[in-house]
Amino acid sequence: MYRGKAYCEANLYIYAPANERYEFLTKRKNIIEKYCSNTIKITDVRIKDSGIDEQTNEPFLSLSVMSEVLVKYDPIITHLNDYRVNACREFRRQFPGAGAIMAHYIDTYSPFRLDGFKSRT
């Protein structure tokens, strides 16, 4: 059962091996744009910066990723901000290399939502 859907923003950095070029980064960006799990659906990906890392000489993309994150119902939680924190934790679980993650707001379900993003047709 899902208590709500949080709208999160995260910063992701994608690096390509030194012998690869920006086509590799574009493919990785496209994979992130289409990402949808049972609890996370990516809604928007924007390129913030691109270049070559001076220390490793690898090309990189800095992305701003907007997503919808379903948060599970927890009978112990009494404040909605705790669900926003759980949404950020869920995003971190699926994207461990993400930089800053922030849940902007949350929509709550009443009655609770039973199915995730993947179980919908």
Side-chain angles (χ1 to χ4, degrees):
M1 287 191 310
Y2 298 102
R3 176 69 172 109
K5 176 171 57 174
Y7 297 88
C8 296
E9 180 178 6
N11 293 325
L12 289 175
Y13 290 90
I14 303 174
Y15 290 91
N19 57 353
E20 295 284 339
R21 288 331 271 163
Y22 288 101
E23 294 81 23
F24 177 83
L25 295 173
T26 304
K27 288 179 187 176
R28 299 261 321 262
K29 178 183 164 282
N30 291 339
I31 290 170
I32 292 171
E33 284 178 328
K34 296 174 186 173
Y35 184 82
C36 183
S37 71
N38 203 32
T39 55
I40 293 180
K41 181 169 63 172
I42 302 298
T43 57
D44 189 28
V45 176
R46 296 180 186 212
I47 298 173
K48 290 173 48 178
D49 192 19
S50 65
I52 296 180
D53 189 326
E54 294 175 3
Q55 295 178 344
T56 61
N57 201 26
E58 297 176 333
F60 74 91
L61 282 179
S62 173
L63 305 174
S64 176
V65 178
M66 298 296 294
S67 64
E68 296 175 353
V69 180
L70 294 176
V71 288
K72 292 185 179 181
Y73 171 70
D74 188 345
I76 297 173
I77 293 178
T78 58
H79 199 276
L80 282 180
N81 281 335
D82 293 336
Y83 283 109
R84 290 172 51 186
V85 171
N86 283 351
C88 294
R89 287 180 182 151
E90 180 63 27
F91 193 93
R92 172 83 59 207
R93 245 183 247 117
Q94 294 187 34
F95 292 93
I101 303 170
M102 180 172 55
H104 291 290
Y105 56 95
I106 185 168
D107 290 338
T108 57
Y109 295 118
S110 183
F112 299 138
R113 181 176 175 161
L114 299 177
D115 57 342
F117 292 122
K118 284 283 204 167
S119 55
R120 295 185 133 190
T121 56

